Amino acid sequence: MTMFDTVLVANRGEIAVRVIRTLRALGVRSVAVYSDADADARHVREADTAVRLGPAPAAESYLSVERLIEAARRTGAQAVHPGYGFLAENAAFARACTEAGLVFIGPPASAISLMGDKIRAKETVKAAGVPVVPGAADPELAAAARELGAPVLLKPSAGGGGKGMRLVRDLSTLDEEIAAARREARSSFGDDTLLVERWIDRPRHIEIQVLADTHGNVVHLGERECSLQRRHQKIIEEAPSVLLTPEIRERMGAAAVEAARSCGYVGAGTVEFIVPGVDPSSYYFMEMNTRLQVEHPVTELITGIDLVEWQLRVAAGEALSFAQSDITLTGHAIEARICAEDPSRGFLPSGGTVLSLREPQGDGVRTDSGLRQGTEVSSVYDPMLSKVIVHAPDRPTALRRLRAALADTVTLGVPTNAGFLRRLLAHESVVSGDLDTGLVERDADGLVPKSVPDEVYAAAAAVRLAGLAPASRGGWTDPFSVPSGWRLGGEPAPPAFPLRVPGLDPVTVGAPAGAEVTDASVTVTVDGVTHHFHRAGAWLGRDGDSWHVQDHDPVATALSGAAHSGADALAAPMPGTVTVVKVAVGDEVEAGQSLLVVEAMKMEHVISAPHAGTVTELDVTPGATVAMDQVLAVVTPREEDK
């Protein structure tokens, strides 16, 4: 068989960069596509050529089947790699590629359609002898949920990735949860069909990587443990799982192979299982992801098999060059997903411009990333920015290596979860391997610092002092503008600076003596301990954490806040889009009543009334784009409650 000359990558970000890397290694010409928002993105720069998809809204550009196929035609591509997300599991896109004479690097449209419908998928694999979780689907959804009894899990039938999933423990809220799940499913997948499944408390999420060719060969490449999740989104993945014995691994692998055969699968795919932690021999099929997974690197590192390369080879018609007996699992690999979110603000999506970037590579460490310095991170796309992956001879070494790699990761300008992940990896249950899908949600609060360390403010003050020093200004300096601390008739007072981290109260601190400040770093000594920080403007970072320490002007703050009482004003918790407005000016509302819904990075956030009262201001309409901390509405309490 002949390998392709040119492949179009129908995606963006880190997965596009990852696919382009393998294409380059194989000597295949790569074609990137981009929205106007991504014109200067890393994947565009690294591809051999790139095609603009047009002036449509940024997210929609990557969803235009017609424009993608036209881009492939214009550049002479013979095949299209969909990455993951966007159109990767879209049967219509796979079919359109085939009809246009292009090879879709993935399974046939029939397999995508079958396994993309979670209802049909469960029926198909159940017929093949694979155990499934008890549940039901539309139109009997609500009745089935009540029959199963709480807790139940609502899931979109048309897609995965945690979008639209709702865990319902109180059936009195079932109708509201179903409505919210439908909105998210419709927004994410264009289909609001749902299914409901019995929820297994303290479950583990374990998936099996499969690889199939067009010659009837199907193998599995072992499992990945994906139990560390937030909001049903995986954040840490590892291979192999400490839970499985060789015998259970063999049985689950065989079940995954049968699931793949049952739908005529071709290429790389993942069969996902829910596993009771107390009895790993009792496992249930959840779903099959008919694409490359975000966490595929951990499998690559323990097997030595480049999954993207074999996607390409299989799509080009090659037979697998190895059998099941040839596959061995060597060492241990762990991946951490770096996301644009702010742990200190309840893990809400963040954004901004990447002002400083350092991503570790080498010595058992790999970073898959779509970032570069200057990248603008918006609320349009999924919040995942990059992945840090390590490989080591054993799990304890891999954990230590990943913690060190996260400490060495610098992404200033955009709040991320890197520091949170580093602390999570040191959690006693993670270290012991006693995992379940609820662990992160239960213990997240204890892994988020309650306050900003004193040395951070000290370093920020040192930056201000250095910026005001005469030597840093050049030319003549007004002596009265220099913070010398001079005062009449007394010893000089040490200069102090009013500072504020967004979301926290302002503080006034002085700069410690002997601080070293450069454009990229700050070193300060506080209480006899020396601290080193990365720096980019007003941003400081260390050990994966970052802080945006701003100057605080109390007069300007008082003037800007005079129109609204802090307790009455409802501000946007994240940059995003208002999707639902449930009230109007003049409406009487109760405390906790849902008023608006803001969506960012495919995640909904409900804005509720802080107290009973009257909506006296409403500054947004559905479809409005809002900035973080922008005032959306004001609820004035009733006179008797004041």
Side-chain angles (χ1 to χ4, degrees):
M1 300 293 178
T2 303
M3 179 54 68
F4 310 110
D5 294 319
T6 304
V7 171
L8 181 138
V9 183
N11 218 296
R12 66 177 298 280
E14 63 88 16
I15 183 53
V17 174
R18 161 72 188 92
V19 173
I20 289 168
R21 184 171 69 237
T22 289
L23 290 173
R24 185 178 298 114
L26 293 175
V28 178
R29 180 170 167 261
S30 60
V31 178
V33 292
Y34 63 93
S35 69
D36 287 351
D38 276 341
D40 200 33
R42 179 174 169 180
H43 74 280
V44 176
R45 289 173 169 245
E46 294 199 6
D48 293 305
T49 190
V51 179
R52 175 178 177 268
L53 291 175
E60 294 178 14
S61 298
Y62 293 97
L63 298 175
S64 174
V65 173
E66 296 77 12
R67 292 177 186 174
L68 290 167
I69 289 177
E70 174 61 16
R73 186 196 64 76
R74 287 172 56 193
T75 55
Q78 297 105 19
V80 174
H81 194 300
Y84 38 70
F86 290 131
L87 298 173
E89 294 179 286
N90 187 302
F93 180 51
R95 196 174 295 113
C97 288
T98 301
E99 292 172 354
L102 299 165
V103 175
F104 179 78
I105 300 175
S110 58
I112 296 175
S113 178
L114 174 56
M115 286 299 175
D117 182 337
K118 293 183 175 63
I119 300 165
R120 291 174 58 209
K122 288 179 66 175
E123 294 170 348
T124 300
V125 301
K126 185 177 180 180
V130 180
V132 300
V133 180
D138 280 331
E140 297 86 12
L141 190 77
R146 292 186 172 93
E147 184 177 342
L148 286 169
V152 295
L153 183 67
L154 301 173
K155 300 171 64 174
S157 177
K163 306 295 193 300
M165 291 177 66
R166 286 287 194 281
L167 175 60
V168 184
R169 293 190 179 275
D170 180 359
L171 293 183
S172 68
T173 66
L174 180 63
D175 292 341
E176 185 176 339
E177 294 286 4
I178 288 175
R182 289 199 194 284
R183 284 196 303 270
E184 284 192 26
R186 191 183 308 117
S187 171
S188 298
F189 312 114
D191 183 342
D192 64 2
T193 304
L194 302 177
L195 66 143
V196 62
E197 292 178 345
R198 175 182 296 158
W199 175 255
I200 299 171
D201 270 316
R202 300 183 74 89
R204 295 177 78 133
H205 184 154
I206 296 178
E207 60 191 28
I208 305 290
Q209 176 72 56
V210 295
L211 194 58
D213 63 24
T214 56
H215 303 274
N217 302 305
V218 186
V219 299
H220 73 83
L221 305 180
E223 81 282 1
R224 296 186 287 257
E225 172 89 55
C226 304
S227 298
L228 294 176
Q229 304 178 5
R230 284 199 67 263
R231 301 189 183 116
H232 307 294
Q233 291 272 17
K234 305 165 190 173
I235 56 176
I236 300 284
E237 302 102 339
E238 60 181 301
S241 168
V242 297
L243 182 68
L244 301 192
T245 64
E247 294 75 22
I248 296 175
R249 177 176 296 114
E250 184 177 350
R251 285 169 47 200
M252 289 183 69
V257 167
E258 287 307 309
R261 289 190 186 279
S262 72
C263 67
Y265 200 80
V266 173
T270 304
V271 182
E272 305 202 4
F273 294 91
I274 198 77
V275 182
V278 295
D279 182 14
S281 63
S282 298
Y283 50 85
Y284 301 100
F285 170 87
M286 283 200 306
E287 61 187 10
M288 183 173 186
N289 286 301
T290 53
R291 54 171 169 81
L292 195 68
Q293 289 280 86
V294 173
E295 58 271 22
H296 73 274
V298 295
T299 296
E300 293 182 322
L301 291 174
I302 66 168
T303 62
I305 295 172
D306 184 325
L307 287 170
V308 174
E309 177 181 344
W310 275 103
Q311 282 187 297
L312 292 160
R313 292 190 182 279
V314 165
E318 288 189 32
L320 298 179
S321 63
F322 43 83
Q324 190 66 59
S325 58
D326 298 320
I327 297 167
T328 58
L329 310 182
T330 303
H332 202 92
I334 313 179
E335 172 182 292
R337 301 189 188 193
I338 308 297
C339 296
E341 60 184 20
D342 190 346
S344 68
R345 296 173 69 105
F347 295 90
L348 290 173
S350 63
T353 302
V354 178
L355 304 175
S356 177
L357 181 68
R358 186 165 78 186
E359 299 177 318
Q361 298 278 5
D363 296 325
V365 180
R366 159 180 163 181
T367 299
D368 285 6
S369 171
L371 295 177
R372 66 179 190 84
Q373 192 162 313
T375 295
E376 183 70 29
V377 177
S378 74
S379 62
V380 175
Y381 302 115
D382 185 274
M384 193 182 74
L385 304 175
S386 62
K387 305 172 313 196
V388 181
I389 317 105
V390 301
H391 184 231
D394 52 63
R395 188 172 186 268
T397 304
L399 285 169
R400 289 195 301 272
R401 187 167 287 174
L402 184 51
R403 289 197 298 267
L406 289 170
D408 201 36
T409 298
V410 178
T411 314
L412 298 184
V414 180
T416 76
N417 62 339
F420 172 82
L421 295 176
R422 182 170 175 268
R423 288 183 287 275
L424 175 61
L425 289 165
H427 188 288
E428 60 181 2
S429 294
V430 176
V431 172
S432 68
D434 183 18
L435 313 177
D436 68 81
T437 57
L439 186 154
V440 176
E441 299 287 0
R442 289 194 305 271
D443 293 356
D445 287 348
L447 300 171
V448 179
K450 301 301 185 224
S451 60
V452 177
D454 292 342
E455 60 267 21
V456 173
Y457 288 121
V463 170
R464 269 62 177 186
L465 183 62
L468 293 175
S472 69
R473 295 182 172 193
W476 180 84
T477 299
D478 180 352
F480 290 99
S481 70
V482 179
S484 64
W486 182 87
R487 55 187 173 182
L488 183 65
E491 292 294 324
F497 301 89
L499 304 169
R500 183 174 182 268
V501 171
L504 300 177
D505 292 334
V507 299
T508 299
V509 297
E516 298 178 13
V517 179
T518 72
D519 288 342
S521 67
V522 183
T523 298
V524 295
T525 300
V526 178
D527 295 331
V529 179
T530 300
H531 305 270
H532 303 282
F533 294 90
H534 303 284
R535 180 204 168 198
W539 285 82
L540 297 169
R542 68 171 179 195
D543 294 339
D545 289 312
S546 66
W547 301 268
H548 188 198
V549 189
Q550 302 171 329
D551 294 318
H552 173 65
D553 185 335
V555 175
T557 300
L559 291 174
S560 65
H564 303 298
S565 165
D568 300 345
L570 300 173
M574 57 189 181
T577 302
V578 176
T579 57
V580 178
V581 177
K582 300 181 179 181
V583 293
V585 172
D587 284 358
E588 294 290 323
V589 298
E590 298 301 321
Q593 181 177 333
S594 173
L595 308 182
L596 309 101
V597 177
V598 177
E599 181 184 284
M601 297 178 176
K602 303 299 182 183
M603 187 187 81
E604 283 190 346
H605 187 84
V606 177
I607 308 298
S608 301
H611 44 240
T614 304
V615 178
T616 53
E617 290 188 33
L618 183 65
D619 299 330
V620 293
T621 57
T625 300
V626 296
M628 186 165 66
D629 294 330
Q630 176 180 331
V631 174
L632 308 177
V634 175
V635 177
T636 302
R638 303 184 183 103
E639 284 298 324
E640 60 269 26
D641 296 331
K642 289 184 179 178

